[in-house]
Amino acid sequence: MATSALVITDVQNDFCGAGALAVPDAEAILPVVNELVRKFEQVIFTQDWHPPGHVSFASSHPGRRVFDRITLPTGEQILWPDHCVAGTPGAALHPGLHVPPHATVLRKGVHESIDSYSAFFENDGTTAVGLDALLREAGVREVVLAGLATDFCVLGTALDARRLGYEVTVVEAGCRGIDVDGSLAAAWSRMAAKGIRRA
Ligand code: VGL
Ligand code: ZN
């Protein structure tokens, strides 16, 4: 049984190309990600999957704009354009992504009143999304991460993985960031400070 797993974060239409929350140069990761996918026995793809009217959408907060920061009971929330609405084409995994039959797809951000960047915990830091249970049952100790966006969902998953005691490596060539107000550089420093490897 393999003790390492590959976690590919949110490579979805809305984060690519002309998507609702397009990450610059997102498609450049596809060949890198697909090559990684072929090397791992355990592969998990996460999918950002929001109900209409989700708390993270600027459109749910009259008078607020995209990229505004608001305070929710669960902490600070950056407001995003409507994206990855459950069941829409924008929420689908990118068609150029190689998704092998044995892969697991894990959806997150599915509750209207709380966002979830990490695939381990929702943004309250305590409500489980499901990745830890999945990895534990499979005996995984090391996670390798890539996907979108480096400074939000890859970051959140990487930090939680470390907090839970996994060895963590983020493959830089397989990631791209959104970079809101320097968030990309800040993300790499936070990860380095926690002993997360940057490959
Ligand atoms: C993400 C912002 C909002 C991500 C998801 O996948 O990094 N970022 N929802
Ligand atoms: Zn989202």
Side-chain angles (χ1 to χ4, degrees), residues 13-156:
N13 291 325
D14 268 343
F15 294 119
C16 299
L21 180 44
V23 177
D25 201 30
E27 270 106 339
I29 72 169
L30 286 168
V32 178
V33 168
N34 287 340
E35 197 187 320
L36 283 170
V37 167
R38 288 174 212 283
K39 287 187 179 142
F40 281 77
E41 266 171 54
Q42 317 246 17
V43 188
I44 296 104
F45 293 88
T46 70
Q47 203 171 16
D48 210 36
W49 194 261
H50 302 310
H54 191 248
V55 70
S56 75
F57 298 168
S59 65
S60 306
H61 306 272
R64 298 292 187 167
R65 282 183 298 205
V66 168
F67 300 133
D68 278 359
R69 289 162 196 266
I70 63 165
T71 304
L72 296 176
T74 49
E76 188 190 72
Q77 174 73 52
I78 301 187
L79 297 178
W80 305 108
D82 290 22
H83 66 279
C84 298
V85 175
T88 63
L93 293 175
H94 189 286
L97 196 59
H98 173 59
V99 182
H102 60 271
T104 302
V105 179
L106 183 63
R107 290 171 175 166
K108 60 183 181 60
V110 301
H111 298 117
E112 186 175 349
S113 60
I114 185 168
D115 206 1
S116 187
Y117 291 153
S118 164
F120 288 99
F121 298 106
E122 303 206 17
N123 287 5
D124 59 5
T126 57
T127 306
V129 175
L131 187 55
D132 188 41
L134 217 140
L135 298 180
R136 265 170 200 280
E137 182 158 62
V140 170
R141 298 303 315 147
E142 186 197 6
V143 293
V144 176
L145 300 176
L148 307 169
T150 319
D151 39 352
F152 291 93
C153 291
V154 175
L155 171 69

